[in-house]
Structure formats: structure tokens, C-alpha cells
Amino acid sequence: MSSRIFISLFQYFNAWLLIAFVVALAAVSEKIYFRVLAAFRPKAAGGGRPSVNFARWFRSPVALPGGARVRTALFCPVLAFAALLTVCACLPVCTYIPIIDNGADVVQLAQFMLLSEVFVLVSLYAAGTEEALEIARAEMRNMIRFLIPFMAACASIAAYLIKNGLDTDPFSFNSFSLFGQMRSMSWCGVAGMLLFMLAVLSQAPQRGASSGTLLLEEGELPDYGGAPRGILQIWSVVRSFIVVAVMTYIVFPSELMGTFGESAAIAWSGQAVNFVVFWLSVAAMRVAAVPLCRAVVAAVERPLPAYARGGVVYALTAAAVLLLWYEGIVLSMEAAAF
């Protein structure tokens, strides 16, 4: 009995160690992004200096605006970060023993992210300043613009998997690895997946290029400092990094990496190779693919009237849904022919 308890504790310690690695990699990726931004766009990056320093925020004394609700402003960032780590604990790419695997974990991941978002909004409203309220409104708009294409992608992929004769649950995260199936798709299915990648990655939550994925820019809310501000900043970085990880998982060649690990005689049957290569791929997607997708969408929006620019992402999402729907019809016709 005691040996089982020890093994369970060791497994959970290993799981949290892997999650801590993911959080650290998210922070490092954000720093690399600011370094790249400083090299190519010095003015946008504040004269070539990176704008992210997590250690400085946590070393600073806790400060809150005069009219803030103290307990709410202090503790809600902790609850938001805890809910986000629950998302990490649910993802099989973050840990080898995910706490959720019930066939609908993709939906529950979105729910946990919304719960985390609610705690962040409560923290901003508790600050009690007009600037904090404006940041909260911007955050809500950004989250809605991200969730619509993300949930549309999940629903469309699930519908495609059902048409493709999936034996397991279509809303299970493990079913969303489509690299092998994309090789047999027609151009419609591949184009639909690429449009979904473009729409979701371009809306990975962030305020702008100069602030990266940080919730608060350098000069915003100067009276809100210390550990609560640092937790909110790390929360925003990890949140966007998880979004990128989910989209990377869809097109990541997990089977090829596993085969490579086995051929290299790695004791864990390729899991170690999968884990390292996958998260390095996520970091590369964060640094390179996310800014590229945002630039492509911005280029499409630029010639349009101001009132129509906000609808580009939704138009891309609708086109991607129709393309994957047509791909499902092609699959049904092929199945009926046999």
C-alpha cells in the first residue's frame, strides 16, 4: 500500500515538474520574441530593449490603486493562474497523466480557460480605475475574437472525424492529431485546416506586437504592481502559449516522432523525443508563426474600410468551416461508392 502511494506521489511530482517546464518555456519564448522584435523593429520594442522582466515584477512591493478592493485584487490573479494550470494538467502534451480523459476534454479545456478569464476580469474590475476597466473591456473583446474561430475549429474537426469513421470520442484531445489524415485530404480539407490555423493563431490573445502576449503594457496601471501584476503577466503569456500548443498539436507529426524515438532505442518509446520536439515546435510557432499569421490578417484587413476589418477573421472562419464541411461530404460520397 505504501509503495503505491509513493509511486502515485512520484507520478504527480513528475507531472507538475513537466507543467513547470511548460510555464518556463512559455516565459523564455516570450523573451525570445521580444529579442527578435527588437532586432527587426527597434521602435516597436522600445528602442531595442526587451519589455518583459518577470523577476522585476515579483521583486517589487505589492501596490494597488487607492480605490481597489484589496482582497479581490490580491487573490483573484492566483485563482486565475491556478485555473490555467488546470488546463495544463488536462493536456496530454503537458503531462503523461492528464487528469481529464473522458471524451469531451476539448470542451472542458475551453471552460477552464473561460473560468481563468473570469478571475482575471474580476481582478481588473477590482482595481477600481477607469484604465483597468478599459483593459478589461479590451481583454473581453480579444477573448471573444479568439474563442469563435477556436471553437469553430474544434467543432469542424470533430464533425470531420465523425465522417471519417472515428471509433473514439470526436471531442477527445487525443483525436485532434490530424497530421496523418491531412496527407489523404483533398485540397479543400487542407485549405480549411490552414485557414483555421491562420484564424486562430492570428487571434492568439495579445494586446499588440509591441507588448507581445502580456496582459498589461509597461506604462499601464502603474499603481498596480508587485506579485499580483507579475502573476497576471505570466498568466497571459502561458495562456497564449497553450493556445499555440493546441493548434500545433493538430498538425504535429506525433507518430513520426514516436517512430524516431523507438528507432533510437529510447526507453520511454519515443515519449521523451515527442515531448522535447513538440515543445520546441510550439516555441518556434510562438516566435515565428503567430506574428506571421497576424501580419497576413493585417494585410488582408488593410485595404478594407474600417468598419469591415473586424469581420475578416469571422469570414476566414466561415470559409474554413465550409471547406471542412465539403471535405466531409466528399468522404461520405467515397464511402457510399464502396
Side-chain angles (χ1 to χ4, degrees):
M1 184 66 178
S2 58
S3 62
R4 291 181 181 178
I5 295 176
F6 176 78
I7 292 173
S8 298
L9 290 176
F10 177 76
Q11 287 177 337
Y12 280 106
F13 172 77
N14 182 46
W16 282 109
L17 194 63
L18 295 176
I19 292 173
F21 166 79
V22 172
V23 174
L25 184 61
V28 171
S29 300
E30 197 67 15
K31 287 178 177 289
I32 294 174
Y33 166 78
F34 277 106
R35 294 288 184 182
V36 174
L37 184 68
F40 289 95
R41 296 176 59 188
K43 293 182 179 180
R49 297 185 302 274
S51 303
V52 57
N53 190 334
F54 298 109
R56 175 172 57 84
W57 292 323
F58 284 96
R59 291 195 190 105
S60 303
V62 174
L64 297 174
R69 295 173 177 83
V70 177
R71 292 186 178 180
T72 303
L74 284 178
F75 296 117
C76 275
V78 179
L79 297 176
F81 193 66
L84 193 62
L85 289 187
T86 304
V87 175
C88 285
C90 299
L91 290 175
V93 293
C94 290
T95 172
Y96 300 142
I97 48 170
I99 62 174
I100 291 181
D101 187 16
N102 59 4
D105 45 9
V106 171
V107 178
Q108 291 174 331
L109 294 181
Q111 291 174 343
F112 276 122
M113 291 190 73
L114 280 175
L115 176 64
S116 179
E117 187 79 17
V118 168
F119 283 126
V120 170
L121 294 177
V122 171
S123 303
L124 293 173
Y125 276 104
T129 66
E130 188 60 34
E131 186 179 15
L133 296 180
E134 186 57 37
I135 294 172
R137 296 186 191 103
E139 177 63 20
M140 283 190 285
R141 289 193 294 268
N142 289 339
M143 196 63 183
I144 291 172
R145 284 178 62 85
F146 155 71
L147 274 177
I148 290 176
F150 177 74
M151 294 309 297
C154 292
S156 298
I157 292 172
Y160 168 78
L161 292 173
I162 292 172
K163 292 289 181 65
N164 202 25
L166 181 70
D167 295 330
T168 57
D169 299 297
F171 281 100
S172 173
F173 186 79
N174 286 320
S175 303
F176 274 49
S177 182
L178 300 181
F179 178 79
Q181 299 185 45
M182 286 180 67
R183 289 180 294 181
S184 61
M185 283 183 177
S186 68
W187 70 268
C188 293
V190 174
M193 290 305 306
L194 291 178
L195 285 179
F196 271 131
M197 295 290 292
L198 176 64
V200 176
L201 290 180
S202 68
Q203 300 306 308
Q206 70 176 52
R207 298 284 300 284
S210 61
S211 60
T213 58
L214 297 178
L215 178 67
L216 302 173
E217 296 181 1
E218 191 67 24
E220 289 182 328
L221 289 182
D223 295 335
Y224 193 62
R229 184 187 185 96
I231 292 173
L232 287 179
Q233 299 288 63
I234 292 180
W235 170 87
S236 58
V237 170
V238 176
R239 185 264 310 266
S240 296
F241 198 67
I242 290 174
V243 170
V244 177
V246 171
M247 299 309 296
T248 303
Y249 180 77
I250 294 175
V251 296
F252 184 73
S254 302
E255 297 178 359
L256 294 181
M257 291 297 105
T259 303
F260 173 77
E262 292 173 359
S263 64
I266 293 177
W268 298 327
S269 301
Q271 284 188 340
V273 173
N274 253 335
F275 187 84
V276 173
V277 176
F278 172 77
W279 285 109
L280 290 178
S281 302
V282 175
M285 291 281 282
R286 165 64 194 104
V287 175
V290 172
L292 178 62
C293 290
R294 295 184 71 87
V296 170
V297 172
V300 175
E301 291 176 343
R302 196 171 297 119
L304 298 177
Y307 65 85
R309 292 174 183 172
V312 168
V313 173
Y314 305 122
L316 292 174
T317 302
V321 170
L322 291 175
L323 286 170
L324 271 187
W325 175 72
Y326 179 76
E327 181 70 17
I329 292 178
V330 171
L331 281 175
S332 299
M333 292 173 63
E334 291 178 352
F338 288 99

